[in-house]
């Protein structure tokens, strides 16, 4: 602090708090609406500035040493309560803001002392300029990256490393804001510059680390989605091959049927001919594939994976209620159902490897109620299959599709959970159906229950 009247101190407090709030608002996600946040910030600033001014009048010396820390600690408490970010992520962002706070506080003081003889107005002007420059740069250049980076930190958060990083930054900036010596020496200036460099480099390293981790996980998820699409294409190819073989058999059988019908007609055996045609019709009806639901994409998907499950000697129970146009895009439905069914088959196969005599099953249920679509899938699995942080590990699913399911669920503001209930793996999902397609879906919805 460079001294001055209480009015000067109040102005500097106001500028510092305003700068801190502006910079934090650019990178944080508020818990409340804009109007409430503005009122909250104004009330906080008024109370903090009043307390700082009273402290300044009562004990100037202790105020100049500790006011920046105390006001910032109060702001940290207020910011954590009004931010919708997780606690660890909020602390990382507050550590970054603490670093920027130190930049414009020390920057203003050092410029005023080194070049203008400690002029308080120069300190105030430099603070305002630095705050505006940092806010402009964050808003135009890095706000989008920081918010994207925040998602990576939130998803891949290593609480220990973030805590250590935040503490290191707080200690480093703490030394800068409260040096042992008040003398302006070249060595002190060198210390300040090195502290700024090291704490800034730490911020950049952490940013790059989590950004890289987040990108790697995005690539991994995309790779999983490609693998899922590849498997789905394989199932569709199997259906096409089976359909081609069935077509050959039908053409071969039709020739024999035509010969028999022609012989009945040639002999004038009409009663026998009608009886033969009746039996042929029954056989044709019994051999026809049962429709699972009215939606063509989902019907084909479930048919393909049900055939795959039969080949693996897995009993399947389908309880599907889905209209022709359920308002949720087919690509999203296919993503969820293909991954869930694929993982269920994989879980059953792993359970059979563990116990060859075990009877495995899959129960898949799809229900629509009002504007919600519920999906329930239960399958046999190994009893020791683990669920980590609410998500099954790759040993439970073969490493395919869980993140694709989660991404689709979040797209429709859905809720999901996974659990292992003593050797039965259960996946539940509820998604919101867009309102625009609700009426058409209600008119065409049907219910089908199939047990195989």
């Amino acid at each position: 602090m460079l001294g001055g009247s209480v009015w000067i101190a109040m102005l500097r407090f106001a500028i510092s708090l305003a700068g801190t709030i502006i910079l934090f608002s650019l990178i944080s996600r508020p818990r409340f609406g804009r109007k409430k946040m503005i009122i909250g910030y104004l009330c906080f600033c008024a109370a903090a500035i009043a307390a700082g001014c009273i402290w300044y009048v009562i004990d100037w010396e202790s105020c100049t040493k500790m006011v920046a820390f105390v006001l910032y600690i109060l702001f940290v408490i207020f910011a954590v309560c009004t931010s919708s970010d997780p606690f660890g992520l909020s602390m990382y962002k507050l550590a970054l803001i603490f670093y920027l706070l130190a930049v414009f506080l020390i920057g203003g003081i050092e410029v005023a002392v080194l070049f203008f003889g400690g002029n308080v107005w120069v300190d105030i002007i430099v603070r305002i300029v630095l705050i505006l420059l940092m806010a402009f740069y964050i808003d135009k250049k890095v706000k989008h990256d920081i918010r994207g980076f925040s998602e990576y930190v939130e998803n891949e958060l290593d609480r220990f490393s973030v805590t250590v990083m935040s503490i290191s930054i707080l200690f480093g900036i703490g030394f800068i804001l409260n040096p042992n010596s008040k003398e302006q020496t070249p060595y002190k200036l060198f210390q300040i510059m090195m502290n700024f460099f090291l704490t800034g480099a730490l911020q950049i390293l952490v940013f790059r680390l989590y950004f890289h981790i987040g990108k790697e996980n995005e690539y991994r998820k995309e790779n999983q989605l490609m693998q899922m699409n590849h498997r789905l294409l394989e199932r569709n190819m199997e259906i096409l091959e089976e359909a081609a073989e069935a077509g050959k058999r039908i053409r071969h059988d039709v020739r024999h049927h035509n010969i028999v019908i022609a012989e009945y007609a040639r002999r004038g055996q009409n009663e026998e001919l009608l009886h033969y045609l009746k039996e042929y019709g029954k056989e044709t009806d019994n051999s026809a594939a049962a429709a699972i639901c009215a939606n063509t994409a989902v019907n084909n998907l479930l048919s393909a994976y049900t055939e795959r499950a039969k080949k693996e000697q897995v009993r399947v129970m389908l309880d599907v209620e889905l209209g022709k146009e359920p308002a949720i895009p087919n690509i999203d439905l296919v993503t969820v159902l293909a991954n869930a069914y694929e993982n269920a088959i994989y879980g059953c196969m792993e359970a059979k490897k563990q116990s060859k005599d075990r009877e495995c099953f899959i129960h898949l249920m799809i229900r629509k109620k009002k504007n919600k679509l519920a999906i329930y899938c239960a399958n046999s699995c190994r009893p020791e299959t683990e669920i980590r942080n609410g998500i099954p590990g790759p040993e439970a699913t073969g490493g395919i599709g869980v993140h694709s399911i989660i991404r689709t669920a979040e797209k429709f503001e859905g809720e999901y959970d996974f659990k292992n209930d003593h050797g039965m793996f259960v996946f539940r999902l509820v998604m919101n159906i867009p309102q625009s397609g609700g009426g058409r879906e209600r008119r065409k919805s049907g219910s089908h229950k199939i047990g195989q």
Side-chain angles (χ1 to χ4, degrees):
M1 298 283 288
L2 298 178
S5 67
V6 67
W7 300 107
I8 296 294
M10 182 178 68
L11 179 60
R12 296 163 82 182
F13 292 156
I15 292 171
S16 299
L17 284 173
T20 303
I21 291 171
I22 290 171
L23 296 176
F24 183 72
S25 299
L26 288 174
I27 63 175
S28 68
R29 294 178 293 187
R31 186 185 301 273
F32 307 105
R34 186 173 183 179
K35 184 177 180 180
K36 288 185 178 180
M37 291 300 299
I38 291 175
I39 294 174
Y41 279 133
L42 289 176
C43 293
F44 171 78
C45 287
I49 291 171
C53 290
I54 293 172
W55 187 5
Y56 187 84
V57 172
I58 295 175
D59 190 351
W60 176 86
E61 185 174 356
S62 64
C63 180
T64 57
K65 291 181 178 180
M66 298 299 299
V67 68
F69 293 107
V70 174
L71 291 182
Y72 189 74
I73 290 172
L74 294 175
F75 175 75
V76 166
I77 298 172
F78 178 80
V80 169
C81 294
T82 57
S83 174
S84 63
D85 292 321
F87 179 77
L89 182 57
S90 295
M91 294 308 298
Y92 171 80
K93 291 182 177 180
L94 287 166
L96 172 60
I97 297 302
F98 193 41
Y99 176 78
L100 299 179
L101 168 68
V103 170
F104 67 73
L105 283 181
I106 299 301
I109 292 173
E110 293 301 324
V111 169
V113 170
L114 293 176
F115 301 104
F116 297 93
N119 190 301
V120 293
W121 295 106
V122 173
D123 175 29
I124 292 172
I125 293 172
V126 172
R127 288 189 190 188
I128 294 174
V129 171
L130 289 176
I131 290 170
L132 293 176
L133 288 175
M134 287 187 290
F136 178 81
Y137 184 77
I138 290 174
D139 184 60
K140 298 298 182 181
K141 300 294 184 180
V142 298
K143 180 171 68 175
H144 177 74
D145 290 338
I146 288 178
R147 288 185 174 177
F149 162 73
S150 299
E151 294 178 1
Y152 298 148
V153 174
E154 183 177 350
N155 294 329
E156 312 298 334
L157 186 62
D158 178 0
R159 289 177 173 81
F160 177 77
S161 62
V162 171
T163 301
V164 171
M165 181 274 303
S166 301
I167 292 174
S168 300
I169 291 174
L170 293 176
F171 275 117
I173 302 302
F175 174 79
I176 296 173
L177 291 178
N178 191 27
N180 294 324
S181 175
K182 297 183 180 180
E183 298 179 0
Q184 298 296 328
T185 63
Y187 179 71
K188 177 192 170 185
L189 185 61
F190 174 76
Q191 283 184 315
I192 292 175
M193 292 176 62
M194 288 303 300
N195 269 275
F196 273 125
F197 172 77
L198 293 175
T199 51
L202 180 60
Q203 287 277 356
I204 294 173
L205 288 174
V206 172
F207 177 86
R208 297 293 300 175
L209 172 64
Y210 279 103
F211 197 82
H212 176 73
I213 292 174
K215 285 293 184 184
E216 285 294 322
N217 284 334
E218 278 194 354
Y219 295 147
R220 180 170 55 84
K221 293 173 186 177
E222 293 297 330
N223 183 52
Q224 289 180 347
L225 184 58
M226 291 175 64
Q227 292 184 46
M228 185 274 294
N229 291 332
H230 176 70
R231 293 191 179 189
L232 183 57
L233 287 173
E234 287 181 343
R235 304 296 169 260
N236 289 333
M237 290 297 296
E238 290 175 3
I239 291 178
L240 291 175
E241 290 175 359
E242 291 175 359
E245 291 296 326
K248 291 180 181 179
R249 290 194 301 269
I250 290 172
R251 288 192 296 270
H252 182 268
D253 293 341
V254 165
R255 288 196 297 269
H256 293 288
H257 291 305
N258 287 338
I259 293 173
V260 174
I261 291 171
E263 186 63 21
Y264 277 127
R266 186 179 64 81
R267 296 183 179 184
Q269 298 174 327
N270 294 331
E271 292 295 332
E272 290 82 353
L273 175 59
L274 290 175
H275 180 71
Y276 179 81
L277 291 174
K278 185 177 180 180
E279 288 183 347
Y280 179 61
K282 288 182 179 179
E283 182 183 351
T284 303
D285 292 338
N286 292 333
S287 61
I292 299 174
C293 69
N295 184 281
T296 304
V298 173
N299 186 80
N300 292 339
L301 170 87
L302 297 180
S303 298
Y305 278 99
T306 300
E307 289 299 319
R308 167 76 186 286
K310 285 182 179 180
K311 292 180 180 179
E312 300 295 338
Q313 298 180 340
V314 176
R315 184 165 56 92
V316 178
M317 293 174 288
L318 298 179
D319 187 355
V320 180
E321 179 184 340
L322 192 65
K324 187 175 182 180
E325 298 180 22
I328 294 179
N330 286 334
I331 186 64
D332 296 308
L333 285 174
V334 168
T335 296
V336 172
L337 294 174
N339 281 300
Y341 214 153
E342 180 83 27
N343 294 340
I345 294 174
Y346 179 86
C348 290
M349 292 170 61
E350 290 298 303
K352 280 184 173 292
K353 289 180 182 179
Q354 188 180 52
S355 177
K356 294 182 179 180
D357 297 331
R358 182 177 179 182
E359 183 182 0
C360 295
F361 75 94
I362 297 172
H363 179 200
L364 178 63
M365 182 176 66
I366 303 174
R367 280 282 186 270
K368 177 186 177 296
K369 187 174 182 181
K370 295 183 180 179
N371 65 330
K372 303 287 186 180
L373 182 67
I375 298 174
Y376 170 90
C377 184
N379 63 272
S380 305
C381 70
R382 293 189 175 192
E384 63 271 17
T385 298
E386 294 184 2
I387 308 295
R388 305 187 191 96
N389 299 321
I391 299 176
E395 69 278 0
T397 63
I400 302 297
V402 172
H403 290 289
S404 297
I405 293 174
I406 293 174
R407 181 183 298 179
T408 304
E410 293 174 345
K411 178 179 178 181
F412 293 93
E413 299 179 349
E415 298 180 359
Y416 59 89
D417 70 350
F418 304 87
K419 69 176 181 178
N420 180 1
D421 188 7
H422 306 291
M424 184 175 71
F425 187 87
V426 178
F427 159 61
R428 296 181 296 181
L429 169 66
V430 177
M431 292 191 295
N432 293 317
I433 298 177
Q435 294 297 319
S436 58
R440 182 168 51 186
E441 155 70 5
R442 282 193 293 271
R443 290 193 299 269
K444 298 185 178 181
S445 177
S447 178
H448 302 267
K449 296 183 179 180
I450 302 175
Q452 283 124 345

